[in-house]
Amino acid sequence: MNSRRNFKAGQLQRTALALALGMGITGLAFAQATTGSIFGQAPAAAGETVSVKGSTGVTREVQVDSSGRYSISNLPLGTYTVTLKKDGVAVESRDNVNIVVGAGTAVSFAGAESAQNLAAVTVQANALPVIDVSSVDSRTVITAQELAKLPLGRSAEAIALLAPGVVAGNAGFGNTVSFGGAGVTENAYYINGYNTTEPLRALGGVGLPYGSIDQQEIYTGGYSAKYGRSDGGVISQVGKRGTNEWHFGAQVTWSPKSLANDPKNVYYPNNQLPPGYIYNDTKVPGTIYRNRKGNTSWTTSYSAYAGGPLIQDRLYMFLSAEAEKQQGDSTSVVSSSAPAVNKYKYSLPKMYAKFDWNINDSNILEYSHIQSNESYSGDLYAYDYATGTHASALFSHPISHKYASKYDIAKYTSYITDDLTLSATYGKSKKDDYTVTPGLSATLPYLTGTTLQNPAITGGTPIRNGVPTSSVTSPDAGSKTRGLRVDLEYQLADHHLAVGIDNQYYAAHNEGQAMGGPGYRWTYARTQKPSSPLVPGLGVGAPGGNGYYVYKYIFSTTTSMSVKQKAFYLEDRWQVSDNVLLSLGIRNDHFTNYNNVAKPYVDQKNQWAPRLGASWDVFGDASFKVYGNLGRYFLALPNSVAIRGASASTYTREYFTYTGIDANGAPTGLTALGPGPVSSNSEYGIAPDNKTFGPTNLKSQYQDEAILGFDKTLGPDWAYGAKATYRKLQTAIDDVCDGGKIEDKLIAQGVDTSTLDIHSCYIFNPGRTNTFLLNDSNGGYKSVQMSQADWGFNQGAKRKYYALDMYLEHPFNGKWQARVDYTFSRSWGNTEGQVRSDLEQNDVSKTEDWDAAELMIGSGGVLSNNRRHQLKFYGSYQITPEWLVSGAARIQSGSPKTCLGYFGPNQDDPISYGGDYHYCFGKLSGPGAAGNTPWTKKIDLSVAYRPAFADHKLAFSASVFNVLNERKVTNTFPRSQTDVNTVSNTYGMGTYFQTPRYVRLSMSYDY
């Protein structure tokens, strides 16, 4: 680019900025938006109008005001021709104007050379690095053009990891991400403006077929009062749509097994132990735990699309389908009840359909249909760890599942006047959770701990029965959702006003799990102190002898439940001056959770969430922006809280010694060691009264956030910036399972508790004073207030996050693009959020944290999603019109390790939780005190070839993921003890590792 062209483009940029602020257009950058806007300036004259005509057939025309300004908002994504008219006759036009979701694009007719997008870096060869002076939020937008170039995993989460401050969640939760230190269930997913978050636990969400994504927004904070129910981040996808030209295409990708590297084998730790400690099984330290040689897979995906006009300028369609299949091998651990090689299969078909009807120039109707399925099955072949081989004969199958999600979304937009717009979105969904356990016996129980069977009985060879699992789910389990949002927007002088409602309903049926076989499983175990009671707090005595014992385990949670979430909001985006924009908003949320008999057990009203944002264009030319944001974000409880909570559940153990083991692995000659089935949480299959499960004044989890940052151009081709973020969790929700403390308080007050029904567990706000109702057998309820001190806690829930993000970017100029982000951050406290990653506990808001005061002693430290240092890079280089190379890299420090053990220096077990206290070999040990997992590097590279002989429509590409083949541990086993002075053989061992290097080949054709 020559300096003269840069200078003129800069002049336009200054003009466009004044328009954006002066007209109150301000980009309208809202989370989950599906539209953009165009605005600009023309020489003021009578009879002047500006019309836009989009590739989607949308046509609108507005008057140019007396100051020479115009604006057209709420336009569907696409490419537009913008035309200045004088008395109905075209005077000047701008072609190929691309708009970005939630952004304003400035197009002026004052001799300017090109349109400049004020909310995103354009992809035109003569484009400047553009700073979005109109936004007060923190977000990253990835377009379809970038997705086609970069080597990325084909999921919404893989795209989200490009954004600063976003890290992968614990792999035990599946494919999830954490935003800004928040738990992985604290995010929201949207497709075309409708919430597609996983409806039961909010673990992830549904995404579009990869090739159907037009744009994906990743919000990391500061979003509008229009949206809520998230204190982590937002992943919002807008799907492609048909245009006035027919387009077809297809793609096939293949990741061959022969080009994939093996994962590392996993071995039992053999560490130097503190004096007086021994491993639970002294024979296995240093031996193999899991052989992963040959545990590779191949993946293929086939996709196709077609889009175009059914009626020119009026009715459009876009259809796409994607079918991904994966097959591979996975060897189970040596301690499993029946070691085997699982030859598994995944199938992940997706379908997307979009219809757009331009009823007339003032009314648009859109319909989207999304299907996303996942099925899993496998064949098990017995594996012999002694020889390192597996049998050729099939002996069983693992649990198989099929998840099927369907979404139907309709949106109506009416441009009532040039200044008044009404939009309404209605959607509904259905998800089926179907699970099958092949080979599950109706009479034989599942066995665990078989390597700890008494060798005097087995001769040292474990006796197993081949039953693959203990848990089953209902065949008709599933969820349904429906939602309605209505938005009314009005431009009043310098104010862009918005008001609306945002309602969502979730219903789940027969979710949870039950026991297979005879309804229980057997677990074999051994204590190193045979003369000591196993669980003295529950009346379970000592096994004696050599310490061998067994217990019968029952766990059943199947239930139904529902949630209603309602909200309304008000917002004013106010242009204070040509250089200053204020965004003032308020949102009110109302959450109601219902149990299996449709009785409300949580009803949270009048939750006011203020949002305040500001943007200052320092020099008035969009070259330097300073911005800030203050906001409060409420988080609803998902449906799963009713599981093991507001509905009935059973969780018991019954302890025995034994004198024999039959041919099917079941113990014989049983002698009871306790009073019968015992439960540390008193879960004996009785549902609590809906009014007594939670307090009458329960507050929702909410978080306050503050952001301050700047963006600055660096010469004509670069932009850089920095942003500081501070988040503080103000209120959390978890369960407390120490009902005896309520009885203690009432007795101290002289209350007769003999007629009161005091549960073991309640949900509550840790650190706050809550009021509980207790059933009185004499009639009515007894009210009791419980403070932090009454429960025995010395502090409430704490989670704080601070971060400094810095970036440097070179937008695509027709030749190359690059962006690098560095984030320094810290997340610390005593509460991760709704889940607990170190224990892989996805019992949302019912984790082991806060069950009793003893569990929270020493619980403070750096939290599981903390990554102090993150360095991210992505970019592409067009070597020639035919050849393109691209890459992405992510380098980050490790996650904190946890060491849990028995309580105090004397290794007690005061509340019968075994070795789950924050003590490590008798010493206090908070999260991170045991160190961190190692730094990880992930470098992905790609090369693409688009031959000229095929008019660049045919493409071949090869991508290499994890080029350096790093296979470092990402998570470790946290429990250090199985008994007093007895160290778990798996403590500190890796549970998950980086995915080894693999190659993806692809071929595509676009017409």
Side-chain angles (χ1 to χ4, degrees):
M1 289 181 284
N2 61 60
S3 59
R4 182 176 181 180
R5 290 182 66 185
N6 291 344
F7 177 70
K8 289 186 176 182
Q11 287 180 319
L12 171 62
Q13 197 169 20
R14 181 184 183 105
T15 304
L17 170 65
L19 286 167
L21 296 174
M23 299 183 67
I25 302 304
T26 63
L28 306 181
F30 301 131
Q32 304 96 58
T34 61
T35 61
S37 61
I38 294 174
F39 61 95
Q41 187 174 26
E48 277 195 338
T49 61
V50 172
S51 68
V52 297
K53 182 172 184 178
S55 56
T56 60
V58 172
T59 300
R60 292 185 63 196
E61 186 167 343
V62 298
Q63 295 286 331
V64 178
D65 69 17
S66 59
S67 301
R69 301 177 298 185
Y70 76 93
S71 68
I72 307 173
S73 60
N74 286 290
L75 293 172
L77 299 187
T79 303
Y80 287 82
T81 296
V82 186
T83 303
L84 173 67
K85 296 181 179 180
K86 171 69 173 175
D87 297 325
V89 178
V91 176
E92 190 175 358
S93 292
R94 298 283 186 268
D95 294 326
N96 299 316
V97 176
N98 293 304
I99 65 175
V100 175
V101 62
T105 300
V107 181
S108 292
F109 299 93
E113 294 182 354
S114 62
Q116 295 293 318
N117 184 328
L118 288 182
V121 174
T122 68
V123 293
Q124 299 172 349
N126 64 338
L128 290 173
V130 179
I131 291 174
D132 180 4
V133 297
S134 67
S135 70
V136 298
D137 54 47
S138 297
R139 65 172 180 149
T140 300
V141 178
I142 305 297
T143 66
Q145 292 76 18
E146 291 172 300
L147 294 178
K149 296 173 184 175
L150 297 174
L152 297 173
R154 298 171 65 85
S155 70
E157 292 79 10
I159 302 169
L161 288 172
L162 294 174
V166 182
V167 302
N170 186 303
F173 295 140
N175 188 17
T176 58
V177 291
S178 167
F179 288 74
V184 296
T185 61
E186 298 172 30
N187 308 320
Y189 287 66
Y190 288 82
I191 294 179
N192 290 348
Y194 186 76
N195 193 311
T196 62
T197 309
E198 192 274 319
L200 183 63
R201 289 186 173 87
L203 277 170
V206 170
L208 289 167
Y210 193 77
S212 302
I213 303 170
D214 190 345
Q215 298 180 23
Q216 176 168 316
E217 295 177 285
I218 307 110
Y219 279 85
T220 54
Y223 45 86
S224 161
K226 281 189 172 185
Y227 303 99
R229 301 167 192 154
S230 162
D231 65 7
V234 175
I235 295 175
S236 178
Q237 293 182 338
V238 179
K240 293 180 178 178
R241 63 183 69 207
T243 68
N244 270 322
E245 295 182 359
W246 280 100
H247 291 275
F248 307 89
Q251 182 183 47
V252 57
T253 70
W254 178 42
S255 296
K257 188 173 183 178
S258 59
L259 297 180
N261 288 77
D262 290 342
K264 282 186 175 180
N265 290 341
V266 184
Y267 292 85
Y268 282 106
N270 188 15
N271 299 319
Q272 183 67 41
L273 302 180
Y277 289 84
I278 63 171
Y279 276 114
N280 184 44
D281 187 342
T282 58
K283 301 185 299 296
V284 301
T287 64
I288 194 163
Y289 174 77
R290 187 179 185 189
N291 188 341
R292 306 182 76 194
K293 182 176 176 59
N295 283 191
T296 55
S297 65
W298 61 261
T299 304
T300 58
S301 69
Y302 302 90
S303 58
Y305 71 89
L310 297 176
I311 302 175
Q312 196 80 9
D313 290 332
R314 287 299 176 193
L315 184 61
Y316 301 87
M317 58 151 279
F318 182 89
L319 301 175
S320 68
E322 177 182 279
E324 180 176 315
K325 293 186 177 181
Q326 183 184 51
Q327 292 187 16
D329 296 346
S330 178
T331 306
S332 61
V333 301
V334 67
S335 60
S336 60
S337 61
V341 172
N342 179 16
K343 294 185 176 296
Y344 62 86
K345 299 178 183 179
Y346 277 99
S347 178
L348 299 98
K350 291 184 176 183
M351 191 271 279
Y352 171 66
K354 181 76 160 62
F355 293 89
D356 296 271
W357 179 24
N358 301 329
I359 303 171
N360 51 44
D361 289 349
S362 299
N363 297 277
I364 299 173
L365 185 62
E366 307 171 39
Y367 168 73
S368 304
H369 177 77
I370 302 107
Q371 289 186 204
S372 180
N373 298 345
E374 175 184 310
S375 61
Y376 166 82
S377 62
D379 298 323
L380 296 177
Y381 297 84
Y383 184 81
D384 188 343
Y385 266 91
T387 62
T389 59
H390 67 77
S392 58
L394 175 72
F395 87 90
S396 188
H397 301 275
I399 297 175
S400 63
H401 67 247
K402 182 177 180 180
Y403 306 142
S405 297
K406 296 181 181 180
Y407 286 83
D408 293 284
I409 306 165
K411 181 181 179 182
Y412 170 71
T413 303
S414 179
Y415 309 110
I416 300 172
T417 70
D418 290 346
D419 295 321
L420 182 63
T421 301
L422 172 70
S423 65
T425 300
Y426 176 81
K428 64 179 183 178
S429 75
K430 179 183 179 183
K431 181 183 179 184
D432 297 323
D433 296 333
Y434 182 64
T435 301
V436 177
T437 308
L440 187 67
S441 170
T443 57
L444 295 179
Y446 180 68
L447 306 176
T448 61
T450 54
T451 57
L452 293 175
Q453 291 171 342
N454 191 338
I457 298 172
T458 65
T461 302
I463 301 174
R464 301 176 168 119
N465 61 16
V467 175
T469 186
S470 64
S471 61
V472 295
T473 60
S474 175
D476 63 343
S479 297
K480 294 182 179 180
T481 76
R482 64 176 183 267
L484 172 69
R485 70 168 300 123
V486 180
D487 303 282
L488 185 67
E489 299 178 24
Y490 182 61
Q491 187 69 41
L492 179 64
D494 296 331
H495 299 266
H496 186 91
L497 306 174
V499 59
I501 62 171
D502 177 13
N503 298 336
Q504 196 79 18
Y505 174 77
Y506 300 86
H509 178 68
N510 280 349
E511 291 285 5
Q513 70 177 62
M515 305 297 294
Y520 59 84
R521 81 180 188 202
W522 287 112
T523 297
Y524 290 92
R526 185 190 183 191
T527 176
Q528 297 296 329
K529 291 191 173 183
S531 60
S532 299
L534 293 175
V535 193
L538 297 176
V540 180
N546 292 322
Y548 291 98
Y549 63 96
V550 68
Y551 61 84
K552 180 188 289 186
Y553 173 92
I554 299 176
F555 184 61
S556 178
T557 63
T558 302
T559 190
S560 299
M561 53 256 153
S562 61
V563 181
K564 287 183 180 178
Q565 301 171 358
K566 297 181 178 181
F568 65 87
Y569 74 90
L570 300 168
E571 187 168 70
D572 177 11
R573 294 174 66 83
W574 174 31
Q575 162 263 318
V576 179
S577 70
D578 281 353
N579 291 12
V580 177
L581 163 72
L582 287 181
S583 177
L584 309 171
I586 188 73
R587 178 185 178 90
N588 182 278
D589 280 295
H590 181 189
F591 308 142
T592 308
N593 292 65
Y594 300 86
N595 64 9
N596 59 310
V597 292
K599 295 292 184 67
Y601 63 90
V602 169
D603 191 18
Q604 299 160 321
K605 303 176 182 178
N606 295 320
Q607 301 174 120
W608 295 97
R611 311 281 172 84
L612 171 64
S615 174
W616 175 32
D617 179 19
V618 179
F619 300 135
D621 60 358
S623 65
F624 183 23
K625 178 185 81 169
V626 177
Y627 64 98
N629 194 286
L630 294 171
R632 173 165 291 179
Y633 303 87
F634 286 92
L635 187 67
L637 290 171
N639 254 327
S640 65
V641 174
I643 301 174
R644 288 193 72 192
S647 300
S649 62
T650 302
Y651 180 32
T652 62
R653 299 182 183 190
E654 189 173 4
Y655 293 80
F656 305 90
T657 58
Y658 56 96
T659 59
I661 300 175
D662 67 20
N664 292 315
T668 60
L670 299 176
T671 301
L673 294 175
V678 295
S679 174
S680 59
N681 291 335
S682 296
E683 293 181 67
Y684 294 105
I686 300 173
D689 185 321
N690 66 294
K691 295 181 180 180
T692 65
F693 172 61
T696 58
N697 59 343
L698 183 73
K699 293 185 177 296
S700 292
Q701 176 170 319
Y702 73 91
Q703 179 173 266
D704 289 339
E705 177 186 75
I707 296 173
L708 181 64
F710 77 90
D711 297 304
K712 180 86 170 61
T713 56
L714 182 63
D717 301 317
W718 295 82
Y720 70 99
K723 176 188 69 173
T725 301
Y726 177 73
R727 289 177 160 188
K728 183 179 181 181
L729 184 69
Q730 300 288 13
T731 299
I733 296 178
D734 213 302
D735 63 340
V736 57
C737 294
D738 198 3
K741 290 291 198 303
I742 294 180
E743 186 172 16
D744 292 343
K745 179 170 184 177
L746 292 173
I747 291 174
Q749 294 175 344
V751 176
D752 179 8
T753 62
S754 62
T755 62
L756 302 179
D757 181 12
I758 301 176
H759 306 323
S760 175
C761 296
Y762 298 86
I763 57 171
F764 79 132
N765 298 127
R768 290 183 176 268
T769 297
N770 289 134
T771 301
F772 297 87
L773 297 179
L774 310 177
N775 286 105
D776 192 331
S777 60
N778 292 327
Y781 298 91
K782 171 65 179 178
S783 175
V784 58
Q785 280 192 340
M786 293 294 292
S787 67
Q788 172 182 298
D790 292 331
W791 292 115
F793 298 113
N794 56 21
Q795 59 181 343
K798 297 182 184 299
R799 185 181 76 192
K800 295 181 180 181
Y801 171 85
Y802 64 77
L804 176 64
D805 298 308
M806 296 177 284
Y807 78 91
L808 177 65
E809 181 174 24
H810 184 287
F812 191 70
N813 60 0
K815 190 69 175 178
W816 69 285
Q817 71 170 119
R819 180 178 173 112
V820 60
D821 290 272
Y822 169 73
T823 302
F824 173 82
S825 63
R826 188 167 186 256
S827 177
W828 81 101
N830 57 18
T831 297
E832 178 183 341
Q834 290 186 327
V835 296
R836 184 166 169 181
S837 293
D838 58 351
L839 297 179
E840 297 178 22
Q841 194 173 10
N842 63 3
D843 295 321
V844 177
S845 290
K846 303 190 307 298
T847 69
E848 198 171 270
D849 287 343
W850 306 102
D851 281 6
E854 290 84 351
L855 291 170
M856 298 307 293
I857 294 174
S859 61
V862 288
L863 299 174
S864 291
N865 293 311
N866 181 73
R867 307 291 188 276
R868 181 159 297 187
H869 303 280
Q870 298 176 55
L871 182 65
K872 298 183 179 183
F873 166 84
Y874 62 89
S876 62
Y877 184 78
Q878 191 78 52
I879 301 173
T880 70
E882 294 183 312
W883 290 94
L884 174 84
V885 293
S886 61
R890 190 167 71 248
I891 303 170
Q892 62 185 15
S893 54
S895 60
K897 295 180 180 179
T898 300
C899 179
L900 303 174
Y902 277 76
F903 185 83
N906 296 325
Q907 301 176 61
D908 300 320
D909 186 10
I911 58 170
S912 304
Y913 269 58
D916 278 13
Y917 305 94
H918 286 282
Y919 281 85
C920 189
F921 304 118
K923 297 180 180 179
L924 276 176
S925 179
N932 296 283
T933 59
W935 280 65
T936 58
K937 299 188 294 291
K938 185 176 186 292
I939 299 173
D940 307 324
L941 300 175
S942 182
V943 59
Y945 172 59
R946 290 183 175 270
F949 68 77
D951 197 24
H952 305 293
K953 296 176 181 178
L954 177 66
F956 304 90
S957 70
S959 302
V960 183
F961 295 86
N962 193 3
V963 171
L964 301 180
N965 196 32
E966 281 206 350
R967 296 171 291 175
K968 293 181 179 177
V969 61
T970 56
N971 300 99
T972 60
F973 281 100
R975 293 183 171 100
S976 67
Q977 291 181 262
T978 60
D979 207 339
V980 177
N981 291 111
T982 306
V983 178
S984 169
N985 288 105
T986 58
Y987 166 64
M989 186 172 64
T991 55
Y992 296 100
F993 303 80
Q994 289 178 272
T995 301
R997 179 173 52 220
Y998 68 98
V999 176
R1000 186 176 71 201
L1001 308 174
S1002 72
M1003 179 178 69
S1004 63
Y1005 186 81
D1006 299 280
Y1007 175 77

